[in-house]
């Protein structure tokens, strides 16, 4: 690994959200400067709620503290092979937690959901999503991997991230940008996910992990040799200092890994 990932710890989820806001808006600024758009991938789980808390808080009125949602392109780091209004859909989750709550005056993100015509065939579903990424990122043929401005990820209690699970063959995928999975140990079993090379190629990668249910896995990922082979550990390994962990104190109880003081 190059330089180590950054670990930020705050006293509770609300304080995590406040700092996550600052970080995401720094990434927005960099994305807008680079290509007049902010291309971000989001996970499911608890992340959309924390993200909404971060982004929907009142702005101090400055440009740096204002989400410019009409410049946002939101993609899914992973998605379940279910209709968009299904209770398991990550799109539905992001829509209900965040998109539906954005006041009109703040603009409207472009949201890239899965192609529901292909729910019966997860490989096709993954291929279509990869094509969508190619159209969005690869204006030039030379693009080998999409470069998200930011990937906002969760960390499961087993160390999974996106739908990349420990010891799964998908961790060895080197060609595809988006892969299908039919045997996810976390239900529902049929999903698509960004692959590890796409995740580690992002300009910035943020994990948001809160609550005491995460402390054992965070200790493994951040403090132990074995934890390096868990999916989150592989992201740390592959992306190093581009990675930032946003945690609350209960998630890192007993973790020795050094905290960063400020963003
Ligand atoms: O669709 C999914 O299942 C998620 O994208 C998954 O990768 C999630 O981010 C983690 O399981 C953490 O979830 P929590 O934040 O709810 O623990």
């Amino acid at each position: 690994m190059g330089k180590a990932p950054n670990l930020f710890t705050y006293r509770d989820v609300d304080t995590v959200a406040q700092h996550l806001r600052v970080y995401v808006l720094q990434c927005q600024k960099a994305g807008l400067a680079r290509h007049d758009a902010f291309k971000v991938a989001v996970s499911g789980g608890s992340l959309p709620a924390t993200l909404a808390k971060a982004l929907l808080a009142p702005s101090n009125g400055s440009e740096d503290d204002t989400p410019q949602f009409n410049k946002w392109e939101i993609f899914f780091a992973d998605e379940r092979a279910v209709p968009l209004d299904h209770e398991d859909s990550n799109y539905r989750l992001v829509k209900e937690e965040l998109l539906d709550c954005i006041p009109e005056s703040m603009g409207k993100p472009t949201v890239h959901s899965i192609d529901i015509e292909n729910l019966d065939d997860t490989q096709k579903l993954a291929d279509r999503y990869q094509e969508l990424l190619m159209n969005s990122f690869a204006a030039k043929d030379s693009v080998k991997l999409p470069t998200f401005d930011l990937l906002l990820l969760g960390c499961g209690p087993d160390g999974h991230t996106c739908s990349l699970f420990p010891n799964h063959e998908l961790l060895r995928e080197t060609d595809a940008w988006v892969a299908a999975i039919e045997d996810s140990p976390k239900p529902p079993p049929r999903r698509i996910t960004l692959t590890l090379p796409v995740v580690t190629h992002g300009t910035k990668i943020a994990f948001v992990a809160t609550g005491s249910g995460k402390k054992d896995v965070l200790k493994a990922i951040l403090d132990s040799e074995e934890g390096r082979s868990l999916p989150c550990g592989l992201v740390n390994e592959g992306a190093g200092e581009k990675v930032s962990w946003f945690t609350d104190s209960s998630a890192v109880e007993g973790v020795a890994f050094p905290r960063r003081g400020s963003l």
Side-chain angles (χ1 to χ4, degrees):
M1 173 162 73
K3 286 199 187 144
N6 306 291
L7 173 60
F8 298 103
T9 301
Y10 306 102
R11 66 172 180 277
D12 52 23
V13 183
D14 285 351
T15 321
V16 170
Q18 278 167 23
H19 290 84
L20 184 65
R21 174 190 180 90
V22 175
Y23 174 85
V24 171
L25 294 179
Q26 284 171 357
C27 295
Q28 169 188 271
K29 189 174 184 178
L32 295 181
R34 244 187 324 268
H35 43 217
D36 198 34
F38 183 43
K39 296 184 179 224
V40 51
V42 297
S43 296
S46 59
L47 180 99
T50 310
L51 187 61
K53 204 175 261 185
L55 296 173
L56 300 175
S59 161
N60 69 15
S62 72
E63 202 175 292
D64 285 355
D65 189 46
T66 306
Q68 296 188 38
F69 284 122
N70 47 16
K71 300 273 172 125
W72 283 47
E73 280 193 54
I74 299 181
F75 298 84
F76 290 85
D78 68 330
E79 180 57 291
R80 293 90 179 272
V82 294
L84 298 179
D85 59 356
H86 192 278
E87 59 170 21
D88 287 334
S89 163
N90 282 345
Y91 170 82
R92 185 198 58 83
L93 188 64
V94 171
K95 181 173 180 303
E96 287 182 5
E97 295 287 355
L98 176 64
L99 304 172
D100 289 351
C101 309
I102 300 176
E104 236 170 80
S105 58
M106 290 179 82
K108 212 174 153 44
T110 303
V111 183
H112 299 285
S113 53
I114 52 170
D115 173 10
I116 47 154
E117 299 299 309
N118 291 296
L119 292 179
D120 292 342
D121 182 340
T122 50
Q123 189 55 55
K124 251 194 181 160
L125 195 63
D127 291 346
R128 291 286 167 278
Y129 207 70
Q130 176 161 324
E131 277 165 27
L132 186 151
L133 291 184
M134 285 178 161
N135 289 332
S136 176
F137 285 88
K140 307 159 215 71
D141 290 336
S142 58
V143 173
K144 294 207 176 64
L145 284 169
T147 311
F148 285 99
D149 296 313
L150 172 63
L151 295 109
L152 283 160
L153 306 178
C155 164
D158 57 353
H160 81 261
T161 191
C162 305
S163 288
L164 300 167
F165 290 89
N167 301 318
H168 197 278
E169 60 183 359
L170 272 190
L171 294 174
R172 293 192 295 274
E173 177 63 55
T174 51
D175 294 327
W177 293 6
V178 182
I181 170 164
E182 296 263 341
D183 57 355
S184 163
K186 176 182 176 183
R190 302 174 63 254
R191 298 157 169 245
I192 63 167
T193 182
L194 296 180
T195 58
L196 200 52
V198 171
V199 173
T200 56
H201 191 68
T203 303
K204 296 280 182 189
I205 301 119
F207 285 106
V208 181
T210 55
S212 57
K214 298 287 156 75
K215 69 179 180 198
D216 293 340
V217 76
L218 288 191
K219 188 155 181 54
I221 292 166
L222 295 167
D223 288 351
S224 82
E225 197 56 45
E226 305 81 71
R228 289 190 182 194
S229 60
L230 293 174
C232 291
L234 294 170
V235 175
N236 281 346
E237 196 75 8
E241 63 190 328
K242 295 192 295 177
V243 180
S244 295
W245 285 82
F246 289 85
T247 62
D248 65 354
S249 35
S250 54
V252 289
E253 204 191 310
V255 171
F257 193 89
R259 276 68 159 166
R260 288 284 302 269
S262 58
L263 278 168

